[in-house]
Amino acid sequence: MLKNINPSRQTRVLAIHDISCIGKCSITAALPILSAAGIETAVLPTAILSTHTGGFKGYTFRDLTDDIMPVINHWEKEGIDFDAVYTGYLGSYEQINIMKEIFSIYKKKGALIFVDPVMGDNGRLYSAFDDSFPKGMLDMCAYADIITPNITEASLMLGEKYSSGPYEKKYIEDIMRRLSGICGGSVVLTGVCFDENMLGAATYDASNNKTDYSFARRIDGMYHGTGDVFASAFLASLLNGNDMKKSADIAVEFAAQSIRQTLKIKQDRYYGVNFEAAIPWLINNI
Ligand code: PXL
């Protein structure tokens, strides 16, 4: 059931990610998913790329670092507020400091700061970032109420060697407690598996020290953009008044359904998952 959590106006999110023109990740996932869930979604692009960087060759890249603060300054003059600020893939190291400034502005006005520390997958940092990036991202996460790393990103931020799983419960809960201890907020860890059959997410709610798990049957293969689809559905659910556990259940199932829909079409996995086909399920189950 879609609910509006803000009594004075439609719930409004600011989504700060790149625009990968092809590849269904970042803004091209966040905007349709949040909008479908009834949330007004303002976008602030960090960069424009012809495709994402995870498979296509020779992509174009336009860095928008210099455009970000002028946009915010204009909104400030107009008195525009947000219920949540949601960041993902950044276009430059410098943008880390810019995000901290933006978080300070909107946190003061009561916005939820939701950071997907998009940096890597399968044990590797994405090609556009250098080794100093994870430490910068960890510092940025200290401004967040909720962070949603995958296990690669969590390992990079903690300076730990990546392990591909299956994992022990203690390993997962240690990672979440350590990240929450450093950053101060709640943690949603993706890519969690305790066996070969089920894959999902763990949530650590810093307000009550509660850990929960959400799983779906594992679907073999690598599907690009599922982290963005997961985080966007999680936030969409949270802003409709659901708690972290219910939101993780919804986001895990939404990502799994998006992958299952993708398997029906024979298209290269780099083109992203067919989350559009799972949107009716999302809005009926949120
Ligand atoms: O889905 C994460 C992502 C977002 N944006 C860009 C990317 C990637 C992952 O490769 O390259 C530009």
Side-chain angles (χ1 to χ4, degrees), residues 130-173:
D130 70 21
D131 291 342
S132 64
F133 203 80
K135 170 75 176 77
M137 188 58 95
L138 181 69
D139 292 344
M140 191 181 116
C141 285
Y143 289 68
D145 297 298
I146 303 180
I147 62 172
T148 62
N150 59 30
I151 302 231
T152 299
E153 290 152 353
S155 307
L156 285 165
M157 288 195 285
L158 291 171
E160 294 283 339
K161 203 168 161 296
Y162 170 75
S163 148
S164 62
Y167 307 99
E168 299 286 327
K169 218 170 184 182
K170 182 178 175 320
Y171 173 82
I172 296 298
E173 296 188 1

Side-chain angles (χ1 to χ4, degrees), residues 18 20 25-26 49 51-54 89 118 126 224-225 228:
D18 71 284
S20 286
C25 59
S26 313
L49 299 87
T51 66
H52 59 69
T53 65
Y89 188 100
V118 178
Y126 290 143
H224 199 277
D228 300 341

Side-chain angles (χ1 to χ4, degrees), residues 222-263:
M222 156 69 193
Y223 302 89
H224 199 277
T226 47
D228 300 341
V229 165
F230 173 90
S232 301
F234 181 92
L235 181 60
S237 167
L238 207 67
L239 292 176
N240 273 284
N242 295 322
D243 65 12
M244 287 190 51
K245 161 68 174 150
K246 171 104 196 279
S247 298
D249 288 347
I250 286 173
V252 165
E253 180 55 26
F254 181 63
Q257 287 204 20
S258 303
I259 295 171
R260 275 184 236 126
Q261 294 288 349
T262 313
L263 292 174

Side-chain angles (χ1 to χ4, degrees), residues 164-167 191-201 214-221 223 252-253 256 259-260:
S164 62
Y167 307 99
V192 173
C193 55
F194 296 131
D195 59 43
E196 302 291 347
N197 302 324
M198 306 298 279
L199 180 64
S214 307
F215 292 106
R217 192 152 287 283
R218 179 193 283 274
I219 305 156
D220 279 341
Y223 302 89
V252 165
E253 180 55 26
I259 295 171
R260 275 184 236 126

Side-chain angles (χ1 to χ4, degrees), residues 6-36:
N6 190 323
S8 58
R9 59 164 162 73
Q10 190 179 354
T11 305
R12 184 189 291 139
V13 171
L14 168 56
I16 310 180
H17 308 244
D18 71 284
I19 297 178
S20 286
C21 300
I22 285 283
K24 292 203 281 185
C25 59
S26 313
I27 283 180
T28 63
L31 177 56
I33 292 168
L34 287 158
S35 294

